[in-house]
């Protein structure tokens, strides 16, 4: 096993709950209503899906572009303080993986700008050999394009790679790419993680499983 590919939101950082809070607040500020259940459909989704579905939930409905413009006018450039959202054990397992000679990558539906901002804010950028944004591939998760691009950039064979994901669309994308998938357990957003090869309670357990599974 030579490479580990991480999703960002929900895996490296605990951001999904904060996104939901901000989304609900955004709707309320405009006299609109959105439920937590409706928010769950956005976990792991692409930008295009996000703004399209937001527009459908708006009353009266708005186009994807109208929704995108309204959302960005409201939030501006800064939404999250990434430095406060890092998940436990990230800074422990990344150097341990590098000591084993493992290549590391991030494959996230987020923009390259946001991925880099997260990694720099948490001082983990130097651990990653490759960063792939969903904006750089033609199709979004659950399409396998982002993971196929990641392994291409890493120069790794599929059997040599492990993906750590949390969302159902992310797990599906990685499995369709033919990769071994560990799901970071998530019970708050009613996500189906049943397609994963292993479900870990946290990233430390994920790393312990990798060492055992691949005899590192």
């Amino acid at each position: 096993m030579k490479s580990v590919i991480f999703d960002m939101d929900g895996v490296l950082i605990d951001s999904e709950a904060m996104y939901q809070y901000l989304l609900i607040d955004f709707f309320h500020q405009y006299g609109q209503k959105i439920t937590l259940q409706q928010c769950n459909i956005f976990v792991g989704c692409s930008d295009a899906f996000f703004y399209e579905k937001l527009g459908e939930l708006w009353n009266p409905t708005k186009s994807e572009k109208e929704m995108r413009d309204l959302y960005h006018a409201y939030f501006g450039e800064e939404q999250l303080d990434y430095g406060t959202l890092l998940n436990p054990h990230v800074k422990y397992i990344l150097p341990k993986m590098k000591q084993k000679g493992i290549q590391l990558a991030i494959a996230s539906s987020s923009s390259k700008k946001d991925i880099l901002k997260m990694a720099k804010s948490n001082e983990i950028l130097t651990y990653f050999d490759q960063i792939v944004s969903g904006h750089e591939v033609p199709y979004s998760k659950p399409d396998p394009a982002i993971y196929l691009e990641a392994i291409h950039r890493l120069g790794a064979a599929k059997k040599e790679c492990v993906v750590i994901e949390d969302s159902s669309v992310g797990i599906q994308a990685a499995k369709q790419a033919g990769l071994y998938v560990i799901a970071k357990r998530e019970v708050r957003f009613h996500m189906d993680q049943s397609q994963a090869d292993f479900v870990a309670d946290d990233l430390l357990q994920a790393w312990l499983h990798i060492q055992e599974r691949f005899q590192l």
Side-chain angles (χ1 to χ4, degrees):
M1 202 282 295
K2 296 182 179 179
S3 304
V4 176
I5 307 171
F6 292 84
D7 178 39
M8 183 175 82
D9 291 297
V11 175
L12 291 172
I13 56 172
D14 185 17
S15 53
E16 299 292 1
M18 184 60 73
Y19 279 127
Q20 289 194 346
Y21 168 78
L22 292 172
L23 186 57
I24 291 171
D25 187 60
F26 167 65
F27 265 64
H28 286 176
Q29 291 300 319
Y30 284 92
Q32 301 281 327
K33 292 183 179 180
I34 187 171
T35 66
L36 274 173
Q37 184 176 4
Q38 288 170 322
C39 288
N40 287 340
I41 67 172
F42 298 115
V43 176
C45 76
S46 67
D47 274 6
F49 178 89
F50 178 75
Y51 292 111
E52 178 184 351
K53 291 300 179 183
L54 281 191
E56 291 176 5
L57 292 170
W58 207 260
N59 185 24
T61 59
K62 290 184 178 293
S63 69
E64 178 188 331
K65 183 182 185 306
E66 288 173 326
M67 203 69 239
R68 188 185 296 268
D69 290 344
L70 182 64
Y71 191 84
H72 283 283
Y74 181 80
F75 283 110
E77 288 296 318
E78 301 295 332
Q79 277 195 62
L80 298 182
D81 180 359
Y82 290 115
T84 67
L85 298 173
L86 195 69
N87 268 322
H89 313 305
V90 171
K91 288 191 174 182
Y92 176 79
I93 69 168
L94 295 183
K96 293 294 184 183
M97 289 178 173
K98 297 304 289 185
Q99 287 169 15
K100 294 284 188 178
I102 297 172
Q103 295 186 101
L104 303 179
I106 299 175
S108 168
S109 297
S110 296
S111 69
K112 190 71 163 282
K113 178 182 177 181
D114 285 341
I115 300 170
L116 290 172
K117 187 185 298 182
M118 180 284 299
K120 290 176 182 177
S121 296
N122 288 293
E123 300 180 335
I124 59 173
L125 180 60
T126 56
Y127 293 113
F128 293 98
D129 301 282
Q130 296 292 335
I131 291 176
V132 187
S133 162
H135 297 195
E136 299 176 276
V137 293
Y139 303 106
S140 302
K141 299 174 185 179
D143 189 277
I146 192 168
Y147 283 113
L148 294 174
E149 178 64 20
I151 62 174
H152 171 72
R153 293 187 190 182
L154 290 167
K158 293 181 179 181
K159 65 181 180 180
E160 298 173 335
C161 295
V162 171
V163 169
I164 304 180
E165 264 283 359
D166 66 321
S167 71
S168 55
V169 293
I171 294 167
Q172 186 179 344
K175 290 306 297 179
Q176 288 194 53
L179 304 175
Y180 188 88
V181 183
I182 298 174
K184 179 183 172 296
R185 192 182 305 278
E186 179 56 76
V187 298
R188 292 172 294 178
F189 311 120
H190 307 287
M191 294 187 295
D192 180 6
Q193 298 182 317
S194 61
Q195 289 189 55
D197 296 287
F198 182 79
V199 180
D201 290 328
D202 53 35
L203 290 177
L204 181 58
Q205 188 181 32
W207 172 227
L208 292 171
H209 175 72
I210 289 171
Q211 293 177 85
E212 181 179 358
R213 171 71 171 74
F214 295 96
Q215 300 180 343
L216 298 180

